[in-house]
Amino acid sequence: MTRKLHVSDDADSVACAAAEALIVHLGHAIRTHGRALLALAGGRTPEALYRRLAAPDQSARIDWPHVVLIVGDERCVPVDHPDSNEGMIRHHLLDRLPTAPAALLGWHYHGDPQAAVNAFSHAFAALDGGVAPRLDIALLGLGRDGHTASLFPQQPCPPGIAAVTHAPDGQPRMTLGHDTLAAARARLFLACGRDKAHALGLVWQGADLPATALANAEWFVDEAAAIHADDEM
């Protein structure tokens, strides 16, 4: 996998470009081995992409019954909480689809993050009869501190399928592990806004950041992120 940078005018244009690439990757995975395992990013940046994928003209191009959606990381909150990544994915994508995907694999947090990670890891491995499958596509975002999914700077890369990590404010998170994301057949990063420019530049410099370790990917960024990162890139 090589690093490719796609720069679009604004966040809506980024969503359109990323949707087109994602549809191509999904189709290839389904044609190649009968299904597509897609790990989805949380946060606000991918909301426009999810709405784009759910639009009738784009949704019709995806064989949803052969797509398994996976929530890539999650906060320790109920699904109906405003900060829930799964809740956001359901609202902007799943609830808008005319045809349901094969499955949505979430974290089912009930007060114990490690128990949720254990259950998630078991369910993920069960997709291939007990052996952890390889993701076809991992959709990732970029934090201002260079984190991606819930893999944060200055923390060891967690082993295994998934792990409990801790955000800079000390709050626990649940996330796919580095090795799971690194093994994905394709990775697509989204980064929009000038507040992401510095982190994007650091990744391009090769700084020791979680996103850098996964940076051989297709990057979809807007001009605000790309232009203001010029000094670092």
Side-chain angles (χ1 to χ4, degrees):
M1 191 183 304
T2 58
R3 190 181 305 184
K4 298 179 182 179
L5 180 66
H6 306 272
V7 181
S8 300
D9 292 341
D10 52 31
D12 286 340
S13 299
V14 167
C16 290
E20 187 62 32
L22 190 53
I23 289 169
V24 170
H25 283 297
L26 289 170
H28 176 74
I30 293 168
R31 289 191 303 272
T32 302
H33 43 267
R35 70 173 183 190
L37 300 185
L38 170 60
L40 296 173
R44 292 185 177 180
T45 301
E47 290 179 0
L49 168 59
Y50 296 156
R51 292 193 298 271
R52 176 79 176 163
L53 292 173
D57 59 331
Q58 301 303 314
S59 179
R61 300 171 60 197
I62 301 171
D63 186 3
W64 288 109
H66 290 93
V67 178
V68 177
L69 300 178
I70 298 159
V71 182
D73 71 307
E74 186 60 282
R75 297 173 176 86
C76 293
V77 296
V79 173
D80 59 358
H81 191 281
D83 292 335
S84 168
N85 285 337
E86 181 176 339
M88 180 274 290
I89 290 166
R90 287 183 177 277
H91 177 69
H92 291 285
L93 177 61
L94 197 63
D95 292 349
R96 300 168 187 250
L97 293 177
T99 304
L104 174 68
L105 179 57
W107 296 87
H108 303 294
Y109 172 73
H110 298 293
D112 183 343
Q114 188 59 59
V117 162
N118 293 344
F120 177 95
S121 298
H122 179 78
F124 184 75
L127 292 172
D128 263 5
V131 178
R134 185 179 180 186
L135 292 172
D136 292 293
I137 309 108
L139 182 67
L140 296 164
L142 178 68
R144 286 177 289 180
D145 60 354
H147 83 265
T148 190
S150 283
L151 304 174
F152 295 98
Q154 300 180 340
Q155 294 184 27
C157 289
I161 293 171
V164 177
T165 59
H166 290 84
D169 62 5
Q171 294 298 311
R173 300 279 186 91
M174 303 167 293
T175 185
L176 287 170
H178 170 271
D179 291 347
T180 304
L181 295 169
R185 293 183 173 90
R187 286 187 295 278
L188 279 63
F189 269 88
L190 305 178
C192 295
R194 65 189 313 169
D195 62 332
K196 302 296 179 69
H198 182 64
L200 180 60
L202 291 177
V203 169
W204 243 249
Q205 282 185 321
D208 184 15
L209 296 168
T212 306
L214 298 167
N216 283 349
E218 292 186 69
W219 286 78
F220 296 86
V221 309
D222 65 359
E223 288 187 352
I227 291 174
H228 294 286
D230 277 346
D231 291 342
E232 286 84 8
M233 294 170 67

